Amino acid sequence: PAAAERVAATRGFRGGGGCRTFEARGFGGHRRRATTPRAAAIDRDRESGGDSKTRGDVSARAIAEPTKEDRANDDVCPSSLQGILRCKSGELTKILCANRGEIAVRVFRAGTELGMRTVAIFSEADRLATHRYKADESYCVGVGETPVGAYLGYEDIIKTALENGVQAIHPGYGFLSENADFARRCEEEGLTFIGPRSETIAQMGDKVIAKRLAKECDLPLVPGTDEATDDFAEAEAFAETFGFPIMLKAAMGGGGRGMRIVRTMNDLKEGFTRASSEALGAFGDGRMFLERYVEAPRHIEVQILADAHGNVVHLAERDCSVQRRHQKVVELAPAAELSDELRKTLHDDAVRLAKHVDYRNAGTVEFMVDKEGRHYFLEVNPRIQVEHTVTEEVTGIDLVQSQILIAGGATLAEIGIASQEDVVVQGFAMQCRITTEDPQLNFAPDFGKVEVYRPPGGMGVRLDGEVVVGSRVSPNYDSLLVKLTCKEKNFHGVVQKMYRALSEFRVRGVKTNIPFLLNVLQSETFLSGDFATDFIDSTPSLFELDVGSDDMTKLLTYLGEVAVNGAKHPGAVGPAPIVEEPTPPVPSTPSPPRGFKQILDEAGPAGFAKAVRDHEGLLIMDTTWRDAHQSCLATRMRTRDILAAAPYTAEALASAYSLEMWGGATFDVSLRFLHECPWRRLESLREAVPNIPFQMLLRGANAVGYTSYADNVVDAFVKEARIAGVDVFRVFDSLNYLDNLKFGIDSVRNANGVVEATVCYTGDVANPSKEKYSLEYYVHLTEQLVAHGIDVLAIKDMAGLLKPRAATMLVGALREKFPDLPIHVHT
C-alpha cells in the first residue's frame, strides 16, 4: 500500500490508476509540492532553515551515487524518478541560461537531471533555433536589437527571469559570462548567478588586477607592465627596458582580439595603435598592457572548483596548445609530455590563487609553459570553458551540475568531493571543435542549411551540440557546429578514436573544418605530444586538404559518366564511349525567316490570337529554354549556352507558336545560382531570336517569386518584361483561384501583352463519379476567364492526368462553346 501510494504521487509518468500526469516540453517537467515522506521532510527542513547535515543529505547526489543505506531507506532516496531527481537538486528549482546554442542545451540537460525546470531565451534571429525547444519554457529577448545585441541586453534578460519565476541564471560562455555588471545586477535582483561573485569577475576580467593578485600569492609572471596604458611613450619605454619580442594585449577582452606581437622597435608604433584601436572597438576600452613575449609556449590551463565556504580543488589540467590565431582547435586532458613535478606545481598554483581571491564556483587558471619547462601565469577565466567536456570525461565530475549546486549553496563535500583525493584522473580525453569554416578559403565562416548530419558514435564518443538535419547555421553567431569529445586509456588511443570518429562524421550543406582536423591528428608533431601554440602556423602541410566528396556524389558522378561517355572501368560491358561530338546545324540564311512574332508586332494581341486560331494544323511551343532545362538540369543552363543555340533555334522553330524561355525558376536561379542578370538574358535572346514569340510563366500576384507582391510591383514587373522581350504571358494559379488569375490578366492587358489564361487540370472529366472537377467546372471557369478578356486559353496538365478520351471531351466542349478561342494544351 505504501508503495502504491508513492506511485500515485509520482509525476512525470502517464498512465491510469490514479497516476498524476503532466505535459512537459524539452527535457524537464513541472514542479509540484513534495508528496513523498522524504520530500515532505526536505520541504519542512527548508522552511525551518534546517541544519547543514540534512541539507547535505539532500543535495549530495549530483555526482555521488546513492549509498546502500540510502537505497535501503526509501525515505532517504525516494523510489519515484522525480523524487530521485529532486533529492539531488538542493534549493534551486528553476534556472535560465542566458545563452544560445550548444552551451544552452548543455545547461538544460544538467538542470533537467537535477529535476529543475529550465528556461531558454532567444533572439528574433534565433526564433527557430534548436536550443529554445530543448528547454521547458522559452522567451524572446532583445526585440529590435541586433542578433548579438539581444543576448547582451542583460536588463531585458533579468526582467524575463523575474517575470517567469526563475531563481538562477547560468551565463554559459561568451556573451555575458564575464560581464561583472550582469552578475552584480542579478545579485541586486535576488537572482542567483551561477558563477563567481561579481567582484571576482571584475577582478579577473581586468588582466592588470589579475596579474597583481597572482603576484601577491607568488605565481610566476612574464615581465610586463603593472598598469594598462594607451600612451605609446610608456610602451616605448617598456620595450627599451625589456627588449623584444613584445606581446600587446587588450586590458579588457579576450578571444585573440586586441592582441599583437611586435618584434622590432620600428613596428612598435603601428602595432600599438592598431591593437589599441581594435580593443576600443571590441571592448570599449583601448588601454593595453605589454609583456615580454614567450616564443611558442604551451598553453596549459587548470580547472578549479570552489564552494562558498573556502573549499577549493583542482580537476587536473588541460592542454590547449593547438590554436589558430589564438583560438583553440583541439583540447586534451590531461596534458601529455608534462613532468609530474611541473604538473603538481601548476595545480598548486591554481588552487593557491583561487583561495587568495576567495573564488567561488568553476573557473580556469591559465598558464604558459616555455621550452625550458618554466611556467608563467596567463589569466583566469571566471566561467565554464568550451573545453570543459574533456575534464568531465577524465574525472567523472559533471562540472555544469556542480556549478548549479554550488550556486545553490552546496559545499564541495555535499556534491561528492570531500577532499582533493576524491578527484581521480583516469585515461585521456580529447575534444575537437567542429566548426562551419572552410579551410580552403582561409577558414571563412560558412552558413546555410544542414542537409545531411550523420554523427559518429560508439564507446568513448561524446557529442555536445544542437544540430539536426534541417538546422540553419546563421552568419550572425559563432561558427561552432558541434563539439566532439573522445576518451581512451592513453594518448595514442584517444588520437586513434578521435580520427575514427571524425572520419565517420558526415555533414552536408555547409563546409566544415573536419578535413583540417584529420590532418592535425596525422601530424608527427601532434602524435609526439610535444606541440606548442605555434604548431598550426609552423606546419603548412596541415592545409594540404583532401576534401573529397560524399558517397552519393561519387555514385551520381559515376552514373553520369557511364551515361554520357560509356562504361570504361575494368571489366565494364556495354557500348563503347561516344567520342564524336555532333556538328551543330548552320542557318541557311543570314536572317531568320518570318514568324508569329512579326504578326504580333503588326496586328497586336487580338490579331496574333486570330492568326493562331486560323492556322491549319498543330502549333507547338518549345520548352527547351525554360521547363526542359529546369527539369533535367536544375535550371543551370547559362545565358551563353542558350545564346550559342539561338541562331539555329530561330531558323528551325520559325513556325512555332512560341518559345517558353523566362519566368518561374529561371529568374530566381539566374540571380542566386548563376549570378547572371535575368533581364539581360531576356534582352540578349530577344536580339538573337527576333521572329518567334517569347512566352513566360506568370504566377499572378506572385509574379516570378514565392510570395505575394504588391499590385503595383507586379504591374511594373510585367511592363518591364514586355519591354524587354516577353510576348505571351501564361497567367497561372495552381488552385485556379479566379481573383489571382484576373489580377494577372489585368497586368498583362495593361502592358499590351498576349494574355494566355491557364486552367489547371486535375481529376478525370471522363469519369462521371469525379464530380468536383467535372467538365462543367472547366467550361464554367473558362467562361469567366473569357468574359474578363483573354487571348488564348491554356490547359495545364501538371500531373499528367489528362488522358486521351478526357482530352477529347474537354477540348471538344471548349471548342464548341468558344469557337474562336485558341487552345494551348500544356502537358
Side-chain angles (χ1 to χ4, degrees), residues 282-571:
F283 311 114
D285 187 342
R287 294 179 304 143
M288 309 295 295
F289 72 86
L290 299 83
E291 64 181 34
R292 181 68 184 271
Y293 177 58
V294 180
E295 196 80 41
R298 295 179 70 178
H299 186 140
I300 308 294
E301 60 187 32
V302 178
Q303 178 70 57
I304 57 172
L305 199 59
D307 60 25
H309 303 277
N311 303 305
V312 181
V313 294
H314 68 78
L315 275 63
E317 78 287 347
R318 298 186 286 257
D319 191 336
C320 304
S321 301
V322 182
Q323 301 180 5
R324 179 181 170 275
R325 296 181 180 174
H326 307 290
Q327 296 286 340
K328 300 166 188 173
V329 178
V330 178
E331 296 96 350
L332 184 72
E337 300 298 320
L338 201 65
S339 70
D340 291 341
E341 181 182 357
L342 177 57
R343 196 186 308 271
K344 184 177 185 306
T345 302
L346 292 171
H347 297 167
D348 292 345
D349 284 355
V351 171
R352 188 165 66 253
L353 176 60
K355 289 184 176 180
H356 180 67
V357 300
D358 192 20
Y359 197 89
R360 186 189 70 189
N361 217 275
T364 305
V365 183
E366 304 196 1
F367 299 92
M368 292 187 295
V369 178
D370 66 17
K371 297 183 184 300
E372 285 71 39
R374 296 171 299 196
H375 70 289
Y376 304 96
F377 169 75
L378 189 61
E379 63 180 350
V380 173
N381 276 314
R383 55 174 169 83
I384 196 74
Q385 294 274 84
V386 179
E387 60 274 15
H388 73 274
T389 58
V390 290
T391 298
E392 291 181 330
E393 290 301 309
V394 296
T395 63
I397 295 174
D398 189 318
L399 277 168
V400 180
Q401 281 194 14
S402 299
Q403 282 190 291
I404 296 171
L405 293 171
I406 290 171
T411 65
L412 290 181
E414 290 169 355
I415 64 171
I417 310 176
S419 67
Q420 186 64 59
E421 285 67 34
D422 290 330
V423 180
V424 180
V425 175
Q426 292 184 324
F428 277 79
M430 179 185 298
Q431 176 185 281
C432 283
R433 303 186 188 191
I434 297 176
T435 61
T436 55
E437 296 174 325
D438 189 351
Q440 293 184 310
L441 293 177
N442 197 29
F443 290 87
D446 193 18
F447 53 90
K449 182 180 178 182
V450 177
E451 303 286 355
V452 175
Y453 183 74
R454 295 198 296 272
M459 179 178 175
V461 176
R462 167 178 172 174
L463 294 163
D464 286 79
E466 58 159 354
V467 184
V468 295
V469 174
S471 293
R472 291 200 171 271
V473 178
S474 170
N476 300 311
Y477 302 107
D478 184 81
S479 59
L480 178 65
L481 187 71
V482 63
K483 301 186 314 194
L484 174 61
T485 306
C486 293
K487 182 188 178 184
E488 257 298 344
K489 294 179 181 178
N490 53 53
F491 173 66
H492 287 111
V494 79
V495 173
Q496 184 179 21
K497 179 159 288 187
M498 180 63 77
Y499 189 86
R500 185 272 298 172
L502 286 171
S503 301
E504 199 175 309
F505 237 120
R506 292 292 182 272
V507 181
R508 300 287 176 257
V510 289
K511 299 286 187 180
T512 73
N513 65 335
I514 290 177
F516 176 76
L517 293 171
L518 289 169
N519 277 4
V520 169
L521 298 184
Q522 296 178 80
S523 167
E524 292 183 5
T525 302
F526 183 81
L527 291 172
S528 72
D530 188 19
F531 45 82
T533 50
D534 67 337
F535 164 56
I536 290 180
D537 292 335
S538 62
T539 314
S541 60
L542 299 178
F543 298 89
E544 297 171 4
L545 304 171
D546 180 18
V547 177
S549 59
D550 64 285
D551 297 338
M552 186 56 66
T553 301
K554 292 177 181 177
L555 176 60
L556 291 174
T557 302
Y558 166 74
L559 293 175
E561 174 70 21
V562 172
V564 174
N565 297 319
K568 296 183 291 186
H569 57 275

Side-chain angles (χ1 to χ4, degrees), residues 156 204 510 610 618:
D156 194 20
M204 298 300 104
V510 289
K610 185 177 186 308
L618 190 69

Side-chain angles (χ1 to χ4, degrees), residues 36-315:
T36 64
R38 171 58 175 164
I42 291 169
D43 281 344
R44 286 195 302 272
D45 184 63
R46 285 176 181 155
E47 290 166 3
S48 62
D51 60 56
S52 60
K53 181 179 183 301
T54 304
R55 185 166 58 82
D57 292 341
V58 175
S59 61
R61 296 294 174 265
I63 296 168
E65 288 294 318
T67 65
K68 291 181 179 179
E69 182 182 355
D70 288 343
R71 292 191 180 95
N73 186 347
D74 205 307
D75 280 348
V76 176
C77 188
S79 60
S80 71
L81 174 60
Q82 193 59 31
I84 293 171
L85 296 178
R86 287 301 306 140
C87 82
K88 293 180 178 182
S89 61
E91 299 294 330
L92 303 178
T93 60
K94 190 171 186 179
I95 62 171
L96 177 149
C97 183
N99 216 300
R100 65 178 301 277
E102 172 270 324
I103 187 59
V105 174
R106 175 72 184 89
V107 172
F108 300 150
R109 285 172 172 158
T112 299
E113 289 171 9
L114 293 174
M116 298 177 179
R117 190 164 179 81
T118 57
V119 180
I121 60 169
F122 60 94
S123 67
E124 291 177 296
D126 262 348
R127 63 190 181 280
L128 299 179
T130 307
H131 79 270
R132 64 167 293 200
Y133 299 106
K134 295 292 186 180
D136 297 308
E137 304 170 23
S138 62
Y139 302 95
C140 184
V141 296
V143 176
E145 296 289 339
T146 64
V148 172
Y151 291 102
L152 296 177
Y154 54 78
E155 293 294 348
D156 194 20
I157 294 173
I158 291 172
K159 178 183 176 184
T160 300
L162 294 172
E163 289 176 349
N164 294 283
V166 169
Q167 296 167 298
I169 297 181
H170 195 301
Y173 52 71
F175 292 130
L176 294 168
S177 61
E178 297 182 62
N179 189 308
D181 292 336
F182 176 46
R184 177 181 52 78
R185 287 288 294 119
C186 287
E187 295 163 357
E188 291 172 352
E189 295 293 342
L191 293 167
T192 298
F193 182 80
I194 303 176
R197 295 171 293 113
S198 57
E199 303 96 301
T200 307
I201 296 175
Q203 290 174 332
M204 298 300 104
D206 189 320
K207 293 181 175 62
V208 174
I209 297 176
K211 286 179 66 177
R212 175 175 56 79
L213 292 170
K215 188 175 181 180
E216 289 175 2
C217 50
D218 298 325
L219 267 64
L221 302 174
V222 175
T225 55
D226 293 328
E227 300 291 339
T229 181
D230 55 8
D231 185 354
F232 172 70
E234 293 184 27
E236 191 174 37
F238 177 85
E240 291 173 349
T241 303
F242 294 100
F244 291 89
I246 290 174
M247 170 69 83
L248 305 175
K249 284 186 178 182
M252 307 293 290
R257 289 177 291 183
M259 296 179 67
R260 291 288 189 283
I261 299 171
V262 180
R263 299 185 181 278
T264 67
M265 186 66 78
N266 293 335
D267 298 329
L268 181 59
K269 186 169 185 177
E270 181 183 0
F272 185 87
T273 303
R274 288 192 175 186
S276 179
S277 176
E278 184 177 316
L280 181 64
F283 311 114
D285 187 342
R287 294 179 304 143
M288 309 295 295
F289 72 86
L290 299 83
E291 64 181 34
R292 181 68 184 271
Y293 177 58
V294 180
E295 196 80 41
R298 295 179 70 178
H299 186 140
I300 308 294
E301 60 187 32
V302 178
Q303 178 70 57
I304 57 172
L305 199 59
D307 60 25
H309 303 277
N311 303 305
V312 181
V313 294
H314 68 78
L315 275 63

Side-chain angles (χ1 to χ4, degrees), residues 541-672:
S541 60
L542 299 178
F543 298 89
E544 297 171 4
L545 304 171
D546 180 18
V547 177
S549 59
D550 64 285
D551 297 338
M552 186 56 66
T553 301
K554 292 177 181 177
L555 176 60
L556 291 174
T557 302
Y558 166 74
L559 293 175
E561 174 70 21
V562 172
V564 174
N565 297 319
K568 296 183 291 186
H569 57 275
V573 296
I578 300 172
V579 295
E580 294 183 4
E581 292 190 8
T583 302
V586 178
S588 59
T589 59
S591 299
R594 179 182 172 87
F596 277 101
K597 168 64 174 169
Q598 281 70 40
I599 296 175
L600 173 60
D601 291 344
E602 295 166 1
F608 168 81
K610 185 177 186 308
V612 170
R613 181 69 187 94
D614 292 342
H615 178 80
E616 295 185 5
L618 190 69
L619 287 173
I620 65 168
M621 177 182 74
D622 186 86
T623 68
T624 303
W625 290 358
R626 195 195 80 87
D627 214 15
H629 78 99
Q630 178 176 325
S631 300
C632 300
L633 300 172
T635 328
R636 294 308 197 266
M637 282 181 65
R638 300 167 297 178
T639 300
R640 56 176 290 184
D641 300 322
I642 301 176
L643 277 172
Y648 320 115
T649 302
E651 180 172 294
L653 297 176
S655 61
Y657 164 66
S658 65
L659 299 179
E660 184 191 49
M661 50 73 64
W662 211 60
T666 57
F667 194 93
D668 178 61
V669 172
S670 292
L671 280 174
R672 294 203 296 136

Side-chain angles (χ1 to χ4, degrees), residues 761 764-770 773-776 778-779 795 802-817 823:
Y761 179 82
D764 184 1
V765 298
N767 186 346
S769 65
K770 303 287 186 179
Y773 297 103
S774 62
L775 189 61
E776 291 74 17
Y778 291 109
V779 172
I795 301 171
L802 187 60
K803 293 179 286 189
R805 182 163 177 263
T808 302
M809 292 175 62
L810 178 58
V811 175
L814 293 174
R815 174 59 63 238
E816 182 180 356
K817 185 79 173 178
I823 299 175

